[in-house]
Amino acid sequence: MRSTIRAAEPSQDWRIGCAGWNLPRALWPVFPAEGSHLERYAQRFDAVEIDSSFYRPHRRETYERWAASTPEGFRFAVKLPKAVTHERRLIGAMPAFEAFAAQVEGLGSKLGALVVQLPPSLAFDAEAVRGFFTALRHRHRGAVVLEPRHRSWFTPQADGLLSDFEVARVLADPVLFDEAAAPGGWSGLVYLRLHGSPRRYWSAYDEELLARLARRLQRAKEEGAQCWCVFDNTAGGEATGNALTLRRLLENQSSTRGDGT
């Protein structure tokens, strides 16, 4: 049976979070003492990205439990399984997508976005992309973001096609090519995936860079876009601290603007 899933529209101007909800012990005092890691995480952040769905399926009941562990305004981004992106390479991938969709329906209104990360070897093919997203949009009407990693995707033609399907192209760091230094595709959603630089998954971002990022997100908000920023530099636990700092910078920035200063 075909599964149709609808993601809730984000209510915040931006959503800041991490890839996963593990909490570094050094930062435990910042979070509530009681509850699971997810329950504690969700008291400080309003979004999280689930990457484990790329590697293995989760039961619908597991998604339902995660949704029930978070406040009403919380949202999950969920990465598509490798069966869709890496094994089928977007061709004939709907049976795998439908199985995934039936599981992720367990999040209900807390599904925020689907994340489609492509293998570096997968070049842009307009016919294949059009076919895949036509089929996907018959099954899912909510937010979708795409992280391509082959240079051929970073062109006006590719961006135009993604925009037709309201698919935002991810801005990922480290930036692979000069053409990839800004988000693309549909302009109604800006989605950043920060993997750590220079050492992927390990390096922390300094406050000066995060301050520049906060200003960039503020501009995107003023241009009418919904914004997500997900920190994936989780190997050494740096993501949580970086996400907390960015939230503070954005809150301070909004407060200053609200005072008219």
Side-chain angles (χ1 to χ4, degrees):
M1 180 182 296
R2 176 183 295 182
S3 180
T4 302
I5 49 179
R6 178 186 293 275
E9 291 298 325
S11 58
Q12 283 80 359
D13 295 313
W14 41 65
R15 293 188 178 276
I16 311 301
C18 304
W21 49 79
N22 288 333
L23 303 178
R25 184 175 292 272
L27 291 177
W28 281 9
V30 178
F31 296 86
E34 302 298 324
S36 67
H37 274 238
L38 176 56
E39 289 169 333
R40 295 163 65 201
Y41 171 97
Q43 295 303 310
R44 293 291 179 267
F45 297 114
D46 59 8
V48 74
E49 186 180 281
I50 298 173
D51 286 351
S52 55
S53 51
F54 173 81
Y55 300 99
R56 63 185 185 279
H58 299 299
R59 296 187 306 160
R60 180 189 177 105
E61 292 79 9
T62 299
Y63 285 109
E64 290 173 345
R65 185 177 71 253
W66 288 339
S69 298
T70 59
E72 183 60 32
F74 193 88
R75 295 292 181 267
F76 295 82
V78 190
K79 193 171 178 181
L80 262 62
K82 62 182 178 181
V84 172
T85 56
H86 288 55
E87 295 170 11
R88 297 303 309 177
R89 296 170 69 87
L90 306 184
I91 305 295
M94 283 303 110
F97 178 83
E98 288 178 356
F100 164 78
Q103 298 154 12
V104 82
E105 273 185 331
L107 291 174
S109 64
K110 292 182 179 177
L111 174 60
L114 300 183
V115 180
V116 186
Q117 186 190 55
L118 301 181
S121 61
L122 185 55
F124 176 73
D125 179 317
E127 182 178 355
V129 173
R130 187 177 293 108
F132 175 74
F133 283 115
T134 296
L136 184 149
R137 280 306 187 197
H138 284 309
R139 295 159 174 82
H140 177 65
R141 296 185 292 275
V144 178
V145 303
L146 176 76
E147 184 181 347
R149 291 181 285 176
H150 190 280
R151 194 168 208 147
S152 60
W153 285 85
F154 301 93
T155 66
Q157 180 193 7
D159 277 342
L161 186 53
L162 294 177
S163 185
D164 288 344
F165 290 99
E166 295 191 354
V167 173
R169 174 166 53 75
V170 169
L171 170 56
D173 185 75
V175 174
L176 298 176
F177 319 105
D178 290 344
E179 304 92 321
W186 184 51
S187 61
L189 174 62
V190 170
Y191 196 103
L192 311 183
R193 300 187 81 226
L194 307 183
H195 301 296
S197 181
R199 189 182 180 194
R200 185 182 292 267
Y201 306 124
W202 288 90
S203 294
Y205 294 98
D206 62 37
E207 187 154 344
E208 180 180 352
L209 183 146
L210 295 174
R212 294 199 303 271
L213 180 58
R215 292 191 292 271
R216 186 169 187 171
L217 290 171
Q218 178 68 36
R219 288 198 302 272
K221 168 197 165 184
E222 292 169 354
E223 292 167 358
Q226 294 287 343
C227 302
W228 283 64
C229 184
V230 173
F231 289 91
D232 191 26
N233 50 338
T234 54
E238 303 292 355
T240 308
N242 281 168
L244 287 167
T245 299
L246 181 59
R247 281 189 62 87
R248 172 176 56 80
L249 291 167
L250 285 166
E251 289 164 1
N252 291 345
Q253 187 171 263
S254 296
S255 175
T256 300
R257 286 174 180 259
D259 290 341
T261 58

